[in-house]
Amino acid sequence: HHDSVAIGRAADDDATGVACVLELARALASVPRRRDVWAVTFGCEEHLSVGAEAFVREEAHQAHRLATVINFDSCGSLLGRTQALVTGEPALQRWVHRQIARLGEQVVVEADVSPYSDHFFFTAAGVPAVWFYRTNFVGGRWYHHQALDCEEVVGPEALASVARTGFALARELVRSERLPYPRRIPDAQLERIRHLERTMATWPPR
């Protein structure tokens, strides 16, 4: 997402994500592809992903064609750990883990549902997602939504690692004749998504 809160310079949240999207678009341009690639950033993520939701609802025919969403949001913290949150079948989680292990990058792969980034409404439409982000303490990032979110908190090597990892996943997907996992959301995750979707509908107004 390319929007930000009113304070700070949004260096991590989410200039880092925009940088990854631009870099992946550049790198994938020269990769022979069996699938189209959409490189998109959204507005109004800070209001619980209004921009992404509008795209999913207004372009439902396109959303249903999507194989996978790779989301980059707040992924450049100088200190901390990179995480990949997988919403989809266990086979997707295993595939992501194998790709990361092959690269040798330090990324923690977890299976879960989260409403706090732009991939959420895509998963509500049944599209599997992988969200890359970095935390530096139990609650997330100590400078989150503060004036302290400036260039000094971003680590170029950490961000490059995230971009390399995302590119490796995307490259495999666009070159593969078949997806290496089922394109669906497990019932247990989908039930949680539906609950969150109903809960989130109270703010902002839908």
Side-chain angles (χ1 to χ4, degrees):
H1 64 94
H2 52 257
D3 66 322
S4 67
V5 296
I7 58 176
R9 297 210 287 256
D12 189 33
D13 184 15
D14 187 32
T16 57
V18 174
C20 284
V21 171
L22 293 173
E23 179 60 16
L24 260 69
R26 183 199 64 78
L28 287 170
S30 60
V31 174
R33 301 184 299 277
R34 297 176 182 268
R35 295 182 175 85
D36 293 334
V37 177
W38 288 42
V40 185
T41 67
F42 294 103
C44 293
E45 189 270 353
E46 300 296 358
H47 290 279
L48 292 180
S49 296
V50 172
E53 180 189 12
F55 176 88
V56 171
R57 294 189 187 281
E58 294 172 15
E59 304 287 343
H61 62 293
Q62 298 289 0
H64 287 295
R65 293 179 57 231
L66 296 176
T68 307
V69 171
I70 300 176
N71 181 29
F72 303 94
D73 187 358
S74 304
C75 51
S77 173
L78 178 63
L79 302 175
R81 68 175 188 172
T82 300
Q83 295 172 252
L85 187 84
V86 176
T87 305
E89 290 286 341
L92 172 56
Q93 183 183 5
R94 292 192 296 269
W95 178 78
V96 170
H97 190 274
R98 286 197 302 271
Q99 301 306 312
I100 291 172
R102 182 184 306 169
L103 286 171
E105 301 288 354
Q106 299 299 309
V107 181
V108 177
V109 181
E110 300 175 318
D112 206 349
V113 169
S114 174
Y116 297 121
S117 195
D118 280 337
H119 65 283
F120 175 73
F121 285 103
F122 289 91
T123 62
V127 183
V130 182
W131 170 24
F132 288 102
Y133 63 106
R134 278 178 64 82
T135 57
N136 52 38
F137 83 114
V138 173
R141 294 166 301 282
W142 58 266
Y143 50 79
H144 185 59
H145 289 180
Q146 298 184 51
L148 295 168
D149 186 358
C150 55
E151 292 85 346
E152 288 78 9
V153 304
V154 174
E157 289 303 320
L159 182 57
S161 172
V162 171
R164 283 194 300 268
T165 305
F167 171 69
L169 297 186
R171 180 179 56 191
E172 289 302 310
L173 290 178
V174 301
R175 295 192 305 187
S176 299
E177 186 172 352
R178 296 181 179 179
L179 289 178
Y181 48 82
R183 183 200 172 280
R184 60 174 178 262
I185 308 294
D187 289 342
Q189 287 187 342
L190 198 56
E191 184 176 346
R192 290 186 59 202
I193 290 169
R194 294 287 175 254
H195 171 74
L196 289 165
E197 198 175 18
R198 291 191 299 270
T199 303
M200 290 172 65
T202 61
W203 184 88
R206 293 289 194 257

